[in-house]
């Protein structure tokens, strides 16, 4: 560590401490006991170091410790090289956190009392490690006039005192959360923080999510106009300042450009964003000019996926819906404005909906993406007409009663098929215990299962009710659902039952799972017991839903699950019940 109290201000301005000068009083140290109200430390360590810094002060305040620059040995792991921070005066205190080479954040840790300790351990690799850390004491009950929760499709926020210089020792956190299935675009319209090559002193950090522990998108300082984009509908922004050299800070704006659902697309453009491009709300139109936007503080196009000139493209394992917002000058014979297109795409693939929106400026493309999902649910119905859903939960049934299940896709696209690929039963809602296959890879694994041909947005099947013995009163179902383009020939949804070997070449555009339950019996039925030849004290219990005994079914334990369904499953139990 370079402990340079008399030259620190000069060193900070130059960003380094010139140890080669003989008059420089900086002396490297491994660990120290620190009592100042605030201090900045530049730590430089080599291999096999084991150094402890202890911070303590006789004050009714807590400590905020910020590691604003970290350079560990390349490829080092947390097991061999790390910084451990303890909430107290020694390494025997409670561990607050650990910082390693793969830490995806700017680590900020706060003590609960007036003491804090951190231990730096390095491995045997010959490499010079460098860390910059500063701390300060603060009163946790003192409310910092910054940060907070931001919601809505768009908004603005500024650093404290903007455009005047921001205060010292500020730590502000803004949590941004927009509508589900949207993505956040963050732009700093004005940005001026203390300049440093590594942003060690004053900085803004942006995180992809609601925490500051991981998901760092970027850290910035100096003069800039940075822009960031989240992968979901949540983002966190942090402003951290030290004790000197304050500037005017920043003014930021966030927007949600595109939101995709299973049946619609929404494009939101703020008026200020349009103004930055040189346009206003009168200059916009979709592929179908008759689809008009709603104009408030933003311009909002909201429309079904299959309308307003939206095009659809099947790409094998995905399907994409595309529309274009064109920005063009009106009322003139000529124009010197750039031609701009905002190309919005909702891309459905595998187990998520990937939304893509990008902007062209005379063939210059800027990309942005977002995440959403198809809306799928499963319900029981009272008959094979599938007209009246069962709304009661639990669903009480008779043993061997025929149950009708339907999976429904909620989408405005008529050219989609729903296919029930697999369906399992379990006595527990977490499906962590023994499960029983009803359907697997489109093949009926239970004798009573009947699947109906795919019908547009519905996947349907029926089976006879069963139960688990004694301690298991309920049955839950979990089904894997595939969604295909009905115009695609030989899609997975039209193949039906296939073997595992053939499954890899089958195509579908989206996969998800859905759960329904519990199912419970209206009454218990008496069971028929018979002795098994393996052991006189072991009894066999296997009972079909119609009440007919099945042979060769061994029940060895009092609470072993017995499925009342078919002879096939009785044999399954014999092969798989490991306690026999």
């Amino acid at each position: 560590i370079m402990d340079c109290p008399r030259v620190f201000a000069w060193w900070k301005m130059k960003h380094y401490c010139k140890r080669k000068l003989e008059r420089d009083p900086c002396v490297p140290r491994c660990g120290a006991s620190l009592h100042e109200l605030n201090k900045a430390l530049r730590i430089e360590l080599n291999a096999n170091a084991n150094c402890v810094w202890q911070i303590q002060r006789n004050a009714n305040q807590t400590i905020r410790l910020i590691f604003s620059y970290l350079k560990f040995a390349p490829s080092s792991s947390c097991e061999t090289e790390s910084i451990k921070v303890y909430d107290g005066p020694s390494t025997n205190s409670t561990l607050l956190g650990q910082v390693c080479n793969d830490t995806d954040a700017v680590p900020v840790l706060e003590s609960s009392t007036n003491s804090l300790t951190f231990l730096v351990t390095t491995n045997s690799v010959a490499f010079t490690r460098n860390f910059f850390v500063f701390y300060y004491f603060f009163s946790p009950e003192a409310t910092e006039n910054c940060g907070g929760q931001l919601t809505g499709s768009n908004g603005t926020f500024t650093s404290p005192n903007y455009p005047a210089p921001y205060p010292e020792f500020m730590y502000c956190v803004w949590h941004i959360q927009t509508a589900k299935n949207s993505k956040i675009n963050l732009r700093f319209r004005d940005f001026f923080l203390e300049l440093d090559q590594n942003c060690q002193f004053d900085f803004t950090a942006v995180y992809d999510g609601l925490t500051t522990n991981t998901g760092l998108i970027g850290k910035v300082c100096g003069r800039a106009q940075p822009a960031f984009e989240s992968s979901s509908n949540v983002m966190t922004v942090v402003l951290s300042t030290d004790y000197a050299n304050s500037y005017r800070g920043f003014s930021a704006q966030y927007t949600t450009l595109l939101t995709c659902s299973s049946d619609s697309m929404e494009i939101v453009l703020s008026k200020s964003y349009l103004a930055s491009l040189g346009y206003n709300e009168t200059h916009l139109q979709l592929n179908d000019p008759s689809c008009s936007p709603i104009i408030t503080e933003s311009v909002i196009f909201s429309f079904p996926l299959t309308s307003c000139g939206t095009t659809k493209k099947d790409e094998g394992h995905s399907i994409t819906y595309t529309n274009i917002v064109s920005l063009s000058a009106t009322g003139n014979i000529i124009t010197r404005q750039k031609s701009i297109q905002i190309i919005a795409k909702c891309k459905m693939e595998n187990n998520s909906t990937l939304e893509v929106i990008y902007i062209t400026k005379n063939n210059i493309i800027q990309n942005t993406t977002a995440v959403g999902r198809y809306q799928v649910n499963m319900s029981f119905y009272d008959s094979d007409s599938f007209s009246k859903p069962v709304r009661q939960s639990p669903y009480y049934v008779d043993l061997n009663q025929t149950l009708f299940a339907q999976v429904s896709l909620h989408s405005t696209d008529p050219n989609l098929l729903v296919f029930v690929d697999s369906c399992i039963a379990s006595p527990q809602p977490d499906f962590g215990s023994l499960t029983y296959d009803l359907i697997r890879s489109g093949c009926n694994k239970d004798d009573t299962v009947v699947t109906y041909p795919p019908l547009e947005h519905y996947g349907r099947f029926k089976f006879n009710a069963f139960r688990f013995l004694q301690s298991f009163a309920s049955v839950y179902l979990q089904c894997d659902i595939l969604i295909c383009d009905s115009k695609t020939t030989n899609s997975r949804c039209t193949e039906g039952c296939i073997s595992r070997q053939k499954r890899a070449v089958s195509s579908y555009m989206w996969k998800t799972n859905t759960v329904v339950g519990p199912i419970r019996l209206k009454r218990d039925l008496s069971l028929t017991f018979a002795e098994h030849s393996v052991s006189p004290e072991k009894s066999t219990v296997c009972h079909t839903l119609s009440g007919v005994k099945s042979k060769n079914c061994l029940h060895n334990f009092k609470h072993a699950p017995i499925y009342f369904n078919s002879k096939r499953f009785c044999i399954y139990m014999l092969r798989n019940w490991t306690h026999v």
Side-chain angles (χ1 to χ4, degrees):
I1 181 173
M2 310 300 183
D3 188 1
C4 317
R6 288 178 293 176
V7 298
F8 182 76
W10 170 82
W11 170 81
K12 180 180 176 181
M13 187 168 60
K14 294 296 184 181
H15 301 165
Y16 65 95
C17 185
K18 294 183 178 179
R19 290 180 54 204
K20 63 182 179 179
L21 298 177
E22 291 183 1
R23 65 178 182 272
D24 189 346
C26 302
V27 179
R29 281 193 282 167
C30 175
S33 181
L34 308 169
H35 307 286
E36 292 89 344
L37 187 62
N38 60 80
K39 193 174 183 67
L41 312 171
R42 181 176 181 268
I43 300 173
E44 184 178 296
L45 296 173
N46 295 312
N48 300 315
N50 193 65
C51 308
V52 177
W53 281 264
Q54 191 247 355
I55 307 168
Q56 190 165 13
R57 184 179 176 85
N58 188 18
N60 188 26
Q61 291 181 308
T62 56
I63 305 164
R64 181 174 286 139
L65 181 69
I66 301 175
F67 294 90
S68 57
Y69 180 72
L70 300 166
K71 190 174 184 181
F72 290 94
S75 303
S76 62
S77 66
C78 288
E79 289 73 22
T80 61
E81 185 162 304
S82 68
I83 302 173
K84 293 182 178 179
V85 182
Y86 299 89
D87 189 15
S90 72
T91 55
N92 294 323
S93 304
T94 303
L95 181 67
L96 272 178
Q98 185 177 25
V99 182
C100 311
N101 188 42
D102 61 355
T103 297
D104 187 22
V106 181
V108 179
L109 299 107
E110 297 179 0
S111 69
S112 62
T113 63
N114 62 346
S115 62
L116 185 146
T117 304
F118 65 94
L119 165 67
V120 184
T121 305
T122 64
N123 60 25
S124 59
V125 175
F127 182 81
T128 302
R129 289 86 168 161
N130 285 286
F131 312 106
F132 188 83
V133 54
F134 65 92
Y135 76 86
Y136 53 88
F137 284 81
F138 71 103
S139 299
E141 64 273 7
T143 303
E144 292 176 310
N145 188 25
C146 64
Q149 303 288 332
L150 301 172
T151 58
S153 59
N154 59 79
T156 60
F157 58 100
T158 63
S159 56
N161 297 343
Y162 177 86
Y166 45 79
E168 63 183 18
F169 298 126
M170 295 295 293
Y171 187 73
C172 311
V173 182
W174 291 268
H175 296 292
I176 306 172
Q177 186 163 7
T178 58
K180 291 182 179 180
N181 305 332
S182 64
K183 187 173 180 181
I184 300 167
N185 182 276
L186 175 68
R187 294 179 181 274
F188 289 88
R189 297 179 292 186
D190 185 25
F191 191 93
F192 190 4
L193 270 62
E194 182 177 3
L195 177 63
D196 171 69
Q197 182 178 358
N198 297 315
C199 297
Q200 299 173 120
F201 310 124
D202 302 336
F203 62 86
T204 292
V206 181
Y207 294 88
D208 191 11
L210 280 179
T211 74
T212 58
N213 298 324
T214 188
L216 180 68
I217 303 175
K219 183 177 73 165
V220 288
C221 60
R223 294 291 303 272
Q225 284 188 313
F228 301 95
E229 193 173 273
S230 68
S231 64
S232 67
N233 66 320
V234 290
M235 176 185 279
T236 300
V237 182
V238 170
L239 170 66
S240 176
T241 70
D242 66 359
Y243 70 93
N245 299 338
S246 294
Y247 298 91
R248 68 172 176 264
F250 64 75
S251 172
Q253 178 184 35
Y254 73 91
T255 57
T256 53
L257 295 181
L258 175 64
T259 303
C260 291
S261 69
S262 62
D263 58 1
S264 66
M265 180 186 302
E266 183 175 89
I267 305 169
V268 180
L269 304 172
S270 67
K271 290 182 179 179
S272 58
Y273 174 69
L274 293 173
S276 70
L277 300 176
Y279 290 92
N280 60 45
E281 63 270 19
T282 64
H283 298 148
L284 308 180
Q285 67 177 37
L286 293 173
N287 285 346
D288 182 353
S290 65
C291 292
S292 303
I294 298 172
I295 299 175
T296 57
E297 293 184 354
S298 300
V299 180
I300 304 172
F301 289 97
S302 183
F303 50 93
L305 287 177
T306 54
S307 66
C308 296
T310 304
T311 59
K312 174 183 172 183
K313 183 179 180 182
D314 186 355
E315 298 171 329
H317 272 63
S318 65
I319 192 166
T320 303
Y321 301 89
T322 304
N323 210 313
I324 300 174
V325 181
S326 299
L327 286 72
S328 58
T330 58
N332 297 311
I333 298 176
I334 65 170
T335 181
R336 291 184 172 88
Q337 288 180 284
K338 292 181 179 180
S339 174
I340 298 177
Q341 288 185 325
I342 300 175
I343 303 173
K345 294 186 176 183
C346 293
K347 187 176 183 181
M348 318 295 191
E349 59 180 9
N350 291 337
N351 60 355
S352 68
T353 301
L354 178 66
E355 300 159 4
V356 180
I357 181 169
Y358 58 86
I359 302 167
T360 65
K361 298 181 180 180
N362 290 351
N363 297 324
I364 300 174
I365 299 176
Q366 299 174 335
N367 289 289
T368 182
T369 60
V371 175
R373 299 186 72 87
Y374 272 124
Q375 184 180 350
V376 176
N377 71 285
M378 181 165 61
S379 301
F380 288 111
Y381 285 76
D382 64 353
S383 70
D384 58 5
S385 67
F386 294 97
S387 58
K388 186 177 179 181
V390 176
R391 308 234 180 245
Q392 68 184 71
S393 181
Y395 180 22
Y396 288 94
V397 301
D398 289 317
L399 199 62
N400 205 31
Q401 177 181 331
T402 301
L403 307 184
F404 302 91
Q406 174 177 282
V407 177
S408 302
L409 166 67
H410 303 278
S411 176
T412 56
D413 186 349
N415 299 313
L416 296 176
L417 283 180
V418 174
F419 179 70
V420 181
D421 180 71
S422 298
C423 199
I424 60 174
S426 173
Q428 301 293 341
D430 59 1
F431 294 83
S433 60
L434 185 64
T435 59
Y436 173 48
D437 285 351
L438 290 174
I439 303 170
R440 177 65 60 186
S441 301
C443 304
N444 298 340
K445 295 298 183 182
D446 179 86
D447 293 339
T448 68
V449 170
V450 175
T451 55
Y452 296 81
L455 177 65
E456 295 180 346
H457 293 176
Y458 304 104
R460 295 167 172 172
F461 64 98
K462 66 179 181 179
F463 63 98
N464 288 0
F466 58 91
R467 72 176 175 94
F468 298 87
L469 258 188
Q470 297 179 14
S471 61
F472 300 107
S474 302
V475 175
Y476 295 83
L477 300 184
Q478 176 175 276
C479 297
D480 289 338
I481 310 303
L482 304 183
I483 299 172
C484 309
D485 189 342
S486 61
K487 293 184 177 180
T488 301
T489 58
N490 300 322
S491 72
R492 176 68 191 92
C493 296
T494 59
E495 287 179 320
C497 175
I498 60 172
S499 65
R500 186 171 295 275
Q501 289 75 14
K502 294 180 180 180
R503 188 184 178 95
V505 299
S506 301
S507 65
Y508 58 88
M509 50 170 285
W510 197 78
K511 181 178 180 179
T512 188
N513 63 64
T514 184
V515 176
V516 68
I519 310 166
R520 293 181 181 171
L521 290 181
K522 292 180 180 177
R523 62 183 183 274
D524 291 328
L525 297 180
S526 59
L527 304 178
T528 304
F529 290 83
E531 296 298 320
H532 191 273
S533 59
V534 175
S535 173
E537 59 271 2
K538 294 178 180 179
S539 60
T540 60
V541 175
C542 226
H543 206 288
T544 63
L545 296 174
S546 59
V548 180
K549 260 191 294 185
S550 298
K551 298 179 181 179
N552 301 325
C553 297
L554 183 62
H555 176 48
N556 191 27
F557 292 96
K558 178 179 180 182
H559 297 298
I562 297 297
Y563 296 75
F564 286 77
N565 202 289
S566 67
K567 294 181 180 180
R568 175 183 298 178
F569 186 65
C570 294
I571 298 171
Y572 168 87
M573 288 292 295
L574 277 176
R575 292 175 178 173
N576 293 279
W577 192 248
T578 58
H579 298 293
V580 175

